[in-house]
Amino acid sequence: MENQKTEGQLLGEKLLLKRKNMGMKEDSEAVEQAAQAFCAPYKRFLDRCKTEREAVETIVEMAEKAGYKPFDPKASYQAGDKVYYNNRGKALILTAFGRHPLEKGVRIMASHIDSPRLDLKPSPLYEEAELAMFKTHYYGGIKKYQWSAIPLALHGVIVKKNGEKLSVAIGEEEPDPIFVVNDLLPHLAQEQMKRTLSQGIKGEELNVLVGCRPFKDDKASERVKLNIIRLLNEKYGIVEEDFLSAELTMVPAFKARDIGFDHSCIGAYGHDDRVCAYTSLMAALEAQTPAYTTLTVFADKEETGSDGNTGLHSHYLEFFIERLAKLEGLCGRDVLSNSTCLSADVNAAFDPTFGDTLEKRNCAYLNYGVVVTQYTGSGGKYGTSQASAEFMAQVRNWLDNAKVSWQTGELGKVDLGGGGTVAKYVAALDVDVVDVGVPVLSMHAPFEVVSKNDVYATYQAFKAYVEAE
Ligand code: MN
Ligand code: MN
């Protein structure tokens, strides 16, 4: 009698929305094992890809191993062929030609591979009080105080006037040095502590210590700066003026690590949005011949509003699809109108310490799987692309048919803040779009946290999308 379910219980099971922690599901052990295995190479990917350029390089290498070749607008392609289009080394489109004709549209997974960081200013190096420092201009939405007193590494490229390109990555391995933005000692911080958190460290205080040893010559001026340039000249053959044609950036120097006694999470720099880049990449690389032609887009500049020729506000995706369409005698717009897109980006996970910032009935939780976010934006849904009910129904089908653990999410309480993704720029091309991604704790901090189960569920979601008929 005790085991007999009541009418209300039965009715509840039948009618009410159910969500379950992935760790409480029947297949939890198998899923956790698969998630552990999936995340080991993901951590190495994060360690290798701290800038969009490094991500493009790494993804091209992996794609080539899986049979992808540079796109040739004059070639003809068949189902099963695989090509990539590299946009200036900072954004990338992988394409796997599907069985259905292009007329029926393409499937797009669009993530971004840039992350918040401290870019060096065009003329960064200066000396003051016999310390050599770099001036920076932060990139993306950061809480500036989080970037002081942590180990930083220098990544990027320097292009000399003759076109020679030097790749720089200093601070990832011993015996490399690392760098740091210094903060004020608490003993002398009485005035600083009165500042608001957003002013705790100000933009022009994000100065990076890069050396303090003078060049030994009584007659020389700015001897510490001179000594730094001397060392850079020895190593890279550059002079100070070469900073003018460089893209150099300070990123956190730490590696991706497991978090928790149970190794359930990963702490790392740049989960936003390399976690969606990696999961969509894996789904794409494993697909042999997808039903629909599948475009896996890795965009740049999302963190600063997708502007610029490598951001998705630019026309490169549209132009690329136009070129694909031309191959089959079609118009780009006819392909686009029939296309769908998963805008692959992270969302905020509920953090009980700051629980009053999210609306508990509609926010995402760690370990509840991939987050589907119907709309982003802020204050009355400004700046959003809202997925239609029809497209949401389609997405539910794709995910449920493949038994993917998924949840819905909303970025924060109404009128508390908000944000956007690349979704609206793809939607502007007349494509059906919805945001799909991994819930993240401490988003945009130098060290962000995700749950391995959610990473795995997100990979499964992209796989379901790629494989769906
Ligand atoms: Mn993002
Ligand atoms: Mn972001």
Side-chain angles (χ1 to χ4, degrees):
M1 198 62 193
E2 252 172 53
N3 291 330
Q4 200 93 41
K5 286 185 179 161
T6 64
E7 197 184 347
Q9 280 176 316
L10 288 167
L11 203 59
E13 279 177 20
K14 211 167 121 189
L15 300 181
L16 298 177
L17 170 67
K18 282 173 288 292
R19 289 279 178 250
K20 218 175 191 182
N21 187 309
M22 289 176 71
M24 295 299 290
K25 290 189 174 179
E26 270 174 26
D27 61 353
S28 66
E29 258 173 61
V31 167
E32 266 158 38
Q33 248 179 22
Q36 288 287 353
F38 183 83
C39 286
Y42 168 53
K43 285 184 281 180
R44 293 197 293 276
F45 177 85
L46 285 174
D47 295 339
R48 259 190 85 176
C49 304
K50 293 202 172 178
T51 64
E52 60 278 1
R53 284 179 186 269
E54 289 166 354
V56 164
E57 226 172 89
T58 305
I59 295 168
V60 165
E61 199 178 290
M62 292 166 75
E64 283 182 341
K65 271 189 198 149
Y68 282 76
K69 298 194 169 69
F71 175 64
D72 175 0
K74 293 195 179 73
S76 71
Y77 293 105
Q78 290 161 0
D81 285 345
K82 297 179 171 80
V83 298
Y84 64 86
Y85 171 73
N86 184 338
N87 182 1
R88 297 168 171 86
K90 298 200 265 188
L92 189 71
I93 305 173
L94 301 186
T95 303
F97 289 88
R99 293 189 304 276
H100 294 312
L102 269 181
E103 250 171 322
K104 292 183 81 175
V106 296
R107 289 198 176 148
I108 305 167
M109 300 183 279
S111 63
H112 66 92
I113 47 177
D114 60 317
S115 297
R117 64 196 186 217
L118 306 179
D119 285 346
L120 299 199
K121 290 195 182 191
S123 181
L125 183 61
Y126 71 102
E127 171 176 343
E128 205 169 335
E130 291 170 275
L131 300 175
M133 318 271 268
F134 276 156
K135 291 299 294 180
T136 66
H137 192 142
Y138 66 95
Y139 172 94
I142 63 167
K143 292 163 101 173
K144 282 164 262 192
Y145 71 87
Q146 292 180 332
W147 293 73
S148 65
I150 61 164
L152 297 171
L154 179 66
H155 286 238
V157 295
I158 303 166
V159 182
K160 292 196 209 171
K161 230 172 3 181
N162 64 8
E164 185 192 345
K165 191 189 289 182
L166 306 164
S167 289
V168 178
I170 305 171
E172 295 298 338
E173 300 292 341
E174 293 275 5
D176 275 6
I178 53 168
F179 310 93
V180 69
V181 171
N182 287 306
D183 197 356
L184 185 59
L185 60 166
H187 316 64
L188 300 181
Q190 272 185 31
E191 288 305 314
Q192 184 197 26
M193 299 291 238
K194 288 180 197 155
R195 299 181 187 174
T196 60
L197 205 53
S198 72
Q199 295 281 306
I201 294 280
K202 297 177 187 173
E204 291 295 352
E205 291 171 344
L206 289 167
N207 303 319
V208 184
L209 179 65
V210 297
C212 63
R213 191 172 291 161
F215 184 78
K216 213 168 168 186
D217 178 346
D218 286 335
K219 291 201 175 129
S221 61
E222 295 196 303
R223 289 178 283 254
V224 179
K225 174 176 167 176
L226 182 66
N227 194 46
I228 295 296
I229 276 290
R230 179 185 68 83
L231 290 168
L232 291 174
N233 183 266
E234 267 174 25
K235 186 161 182 184
Y236 297 107
I238 60 163
V239 296
E240 189 183 7
E241 206 181 324
D242 289 320
F243 281 119
L244 300 180
S245 49
E247 284 172 28
L248 292 167
T249 187
M250 287 286 172
V251 295
F254 22 77
K255 290 195 182 326
R257 297 284 300 270
D258 281 0
I259 289 201
F261 291 115
D262 52 7
H263 292 259
S264 53
C265 296
I266 304 170
Y269 165 63
H271 283 309
D272 177 9
D273 184 35
R274 294 176 196 126
V275 69
C276 295
Y278 186 79
T279 45
S280 60
L281 171 67
M282 286 297 121
L285 294 187
E286 283 166 17
Q288 290 313 316
T289 308
Y292 288 80
T293 295
T294 304
L295 273 61
T296 315
V297 181
F298 306 91
D300 181 28
K301 295 288 179 285
E302 193 277 343
E303 294 297 357
T304 52
S306 294
D307 293 317
N309 58 10
T310 51
L312 271 181
H313 202 179
S314 140
H315 293 275
Y316 71 92
L317 174 61
E318 182 187 350
F319 291 165
F320 179 75
I321 290 174
E322 182 72 52
R323 287 179 200 127
L324 288 184
K326 245 178 153 178
L327 295 175
E328 298 195 8
L330 301 165
C331 242
R333 73 188 70 158
D334 297 328
V335 176
L336 281 162
S337 302
N338 290 328
S339 297
T340 59
C341 172
L342 301 187
S343 162
D345 209 343
V346 299
N347 199 340
F350 182 78
D351 181 341
T353 308
F354 304 103
D356 56 355
T357 59
L358 292 157
E359 195 265 285
K360 285 182 186 164
R361 289 171 191 86
N362 280 283
C363 70
Y365 292 85
L366 231 53
N367 291 315
Y368 278 72
V370 61
V371 193
V372 178
T373 308
Q374 195 181 0
Y375 52 86
T376 56
S378 58
K381 299 189 177 178
Y382 275 81
T384 187
S385 133
Q386 178 158 349
S388 69
E390 289 85 347
F391 189 50
M392 284 301 292
Q394 173 85 80
V395 171
R396 283 173 62 197
N397 265 306
W398 284 328
L399 298 179
D400 287 343
N401 291 345
K403 296 193 166 55
V404 177
S405 292
W406 67 281
Q407 56 182 326
T408 51
E410 200 186 27
L411 186 60
K413 277 187 176 167
V414 174
D415 288 342
L416 200 73
T421 63
V422 301
K424 62 175 175 176
Y425 302 110
V426 181
L429 301 175
D430 194 23
V431 173
D432 272 310
V433 188
V434 70
D435 279 296
V436 165
V438 177
V440 176
L441 291 170
S442 295
M443 196 199 292
H444 282 209
F447 201 65
E448 303 174 314
V449 176
V450 298
S451 146
K452 291 179 181 175
N453 276 351
D454 296 328
V455 174
Y456 187 66
T458 303
Y459 153 74
Q460 288 182 306
F462 293 134
K463 216 170 155 57
Y465 179 56
V466 171
E467 288 174 358
E469 277 301 321

